[in-house]
Amino acid sequence: MTAQRISATNFLSLHNANQLGDSVVLDIRSPAEVQRESIGGCICLPLQQLNEAALRAQVTADKSGKVYLLCQSGMRADMAVRQLGQLPGIEWVIVDGGLNGIKNAGGAVTRGERNTLPLERQVRIAAGLVIVSGVALGYALNPALYAVSGAVGAGLIFAGITDRCGLAFLLARMPWNT
């Protein structure tokens, strides 16, 4: 399944000029990320909750069926398209670079009071902590504990190949991200 792509600069031009028409802009980041920073006019529907029924509740008969997908960097938007595939009456448009691209293009973001780290950074921190802990425990207690670091490394390789990160899905469900 392919989706149209729009540069963050072009999206920003359409958004600022109110030329998105009846389209829906879905911010598929976690609620905590949206509370931390967002752009106006978006509907928050986290990737973990995105399914056809939830989408159809947002794309009603008076909407055009064009759905702009916005996340932090564009990776989750690609995942959403793969997850839902082609749906009748829905035209996917991925905002390249996501919110990061919009900020780099000079777009204004609304900053909330919440100061949660973006999900991608949480994944890097958690993976790094587990790898370092596995090495330290393997050295100090039992060499078999090096397998902990190996398992995380294998998980990162899998995430890179499939573009699906189990650690990200787990972290997105943590209380500080809801």
Side-chain angles (χ1 to χ4, degrees):
M1 171 62 207
T2 60
Q4 291 182 13
R5 301 188 88 79
I6 187 171
S7 72
T9 304
N10 288 344
F11 172 80
L12 195 54
S13 296
L14 292 174
H15 183 266
N16 289 343
N18 291 323
Q19 293 181 338
L20 292 175
D22 291 332
S23 301
V24 172
V25 181
L26 284 184
D27 191 330
I28 59 173
R29 297 174 301 142
S30 72
E33 289 176 293
V34 172
Q35 289 172 8
R36 183 173 162 262
E37 60 184 1
S38 62
I39 63 170
C42 296
I43 297 168
C44 178
L45 185 58
L47 180 62
Q48 296 76 21
Q49 298 171 8
L50 184 59
N51 57 43
E52 185 174 359
L55 179 65
R56 295 286 182 198
Q58 301 300 330
V59 182
T60 56
D62 62 331
K63 302 291 183 184
S64 71
K66 188 176 276 195
V67 177
Y68 290 87
L69 293 170
L70 178 67
C71 61
Q72 193 68 38
S73 65
M75 289 174 45
R76 282 180 268 182
D78 284 323
M79 289 173 60
V81 171
R82 282 195 310 272
Q83 177 179 315
L84 291 176
Q86 189 170 354
L87 298 174
I90 302 294
E91 182 181 341
W92 300 116
V93 182
I94 295 174
V95 179
D96 277 333
L99 191 65
N100 290 340
I102 289 172
K103 290 190 297 188
N104 290 337
V109 296
T110 303
R111 297 203 183 274
E113 294 180 18
R114 190 134 186 197
N115 199 16
T116 303
L117 290 173
L119 193 58
E120 288 92 353
R121 287 183 62 195
Q122 291 180 44
V123 168
R124 288 184 228 138
I125 291 168
L129 282 171
V130 174
I131 289 170
V132 168
S133 298
V135 169
L137 290 171
Y139 178 77
L141 298 177
N142 185 334
L145 292 172
Y146 288 129
V148 171
S149 298
V152 173
L156 291 172
I157 292 169
F158 176 80
I161 292 170
T162 64
D163 206 16
R164 293 178 185 259
C165 181
L167 184 55
F169 284 111
L170 177 67
L171 287 171
R173 289 176 172 77
M174 292 293 117
W176 59 84
N177 283 324
T178 57

